[in-house]
Amino acid sequence: MAQRPQVTSVHLEGREIPLQVVRSARRRRTIAIEVDSGVVVVRAPMRTTQAEVARMVELRRSWILQRLDSAALQPRRTFEDGETLPYLGREMLLRVVPVASRRSRAAVEGDELVVDAEARREKARKILAAWYRDRAAELFGEFARHWSSESGLVPRALMVRDQKSRWGSCGPDGTIRLNWRLVL
């Protein structure tokens, strides 16, 4: 059971950064640090002292500052015509083509990612999210078949997930879970 998060701030290189400490009694044995929307989140066992949290934040100072700076440079996606979106390591020009039909689609056409959608950003975002997941499932299936034939190991199942902090994992039952964002 997690305790209510303790919210304070930390000073790193002249910057005051919000700090949230979440202590948990459930199986957590290590301290984990993440940066989420400009806030440093520290997840720690219940018995962890404030001094230990401060020491860990100091040890990870450069990583934290790097994450904060890279997040500030990331453009906010608007899903409007002319924006660029990543796909397989390339930046693709987004073309939103307004259609009146109920059936919408997304496809790669040359160096463009074309979305047939009503002229609403939210509709284009949903279509693209589904398209990315479908492409991930196709590509991951191809990789799994290739490496299964190479290694002789066959996964029990392959699942495409929307994980927040993992790129992938393999469970003890042989199920492989991969984050759809790998296709970006």
Side-chain angles (χ1 to χ4, degrees):
M1 183 85 180
Q3 199 178 46
R4 172 181 268 165
Q6 174 188 1
V7 180
T8 59
S9 64
V10 63
H11 293 278
L12 298 176
E13 295 186 12
R15 294 162 58 178
E16 186 170 341
I17 301 162
L19 173 70
Q20 183 180 46
V21 179
V22 181
R23 289 187 171 82
S24 175
R26 289 171 60 199
R27 293 178 30 201
R28 176 166 285 283
R29 294 183 188 154
T30 60
I31 297 173
I33 299 177
E34 63 185 75
V35 177
D36 185 21
S37 303
V39 177
V40 176
V41 180
V42 178
R43 299 184 190 288
M46 194 68 77
R47 65 187 178 282
T48 307
T49 66
Q50 193 62 31
E52 290 173 306
V53 169
R55 187 170 50 83
M56 186 58 74
V57 168
E58 183 59 32
L59 282 172
R60 300 299 309 257
R61 165 197 298 262
S62 62
W63 180 85
I64 291 169
L65 291 170
Q66 180 184 17
R67 292 285 181 202
L68 288 166
D69 292 342
S70 69
L73 295 174
Q74 293 285 330
R76 290 282 182 226
R77 303 287 182 203
T78 60
F79 302 98
E80 292 178 356
D81 191 61
E83 180 178 14
T84 59
L85 296 175
Y87 179 59
L88 299 179
R90 302 181 312 181
E91 288 294 316
M92 307 286 289
L93 184 65
L94 177 63
R95 288 286 165 224
V96 179
V97 180
V99 294
S101 72
R102 300 181 80 188
R103 187 156 181 104
S104 300
R105 69 169 189 94
V108 172
E109 294 179 6
D111 289 335
E112 295 182 344
L113 186 51
V114 179
V115 179
D116 295 338
E118 299 169 21
R120 293 192 333 238
R121 283 186 281 179
E122 190 60 26
K123 181 74 172 176
R125 187 193 66 75
K126 286 180 181 177
I127 293 165
L128 283 166
W131 181 82
Y132 275 124
R133 282 189 176 89
D134 291 346
R135 296 303 71 73
E138 287 176 12
L139 288 168
F140 300 162
E142 290 174 21
F143 288 141
R145 283 186 292 281
H146 170 76
W147 290 109
S148 289
S149 68
E150 291 280 323
S151 68
L153 301 172
V154 180
R156 181 177 159 267
L158 178 67
M159 301 172 76
V160 176
R161 310 295 288 185
D162 186 18
Q163 298 152 314
K164 300 293 182 218
S165 61
R166 288 187 183 213
W167 290 115
S169 63
C170 181
D173 65 348
T175 300
I176 296 176
R177 293 169 185 84
L178 295 170
N179 192 321
W180 68 266
R181 289 176 183 85
L182 287 167
V183 298
L184 300 178

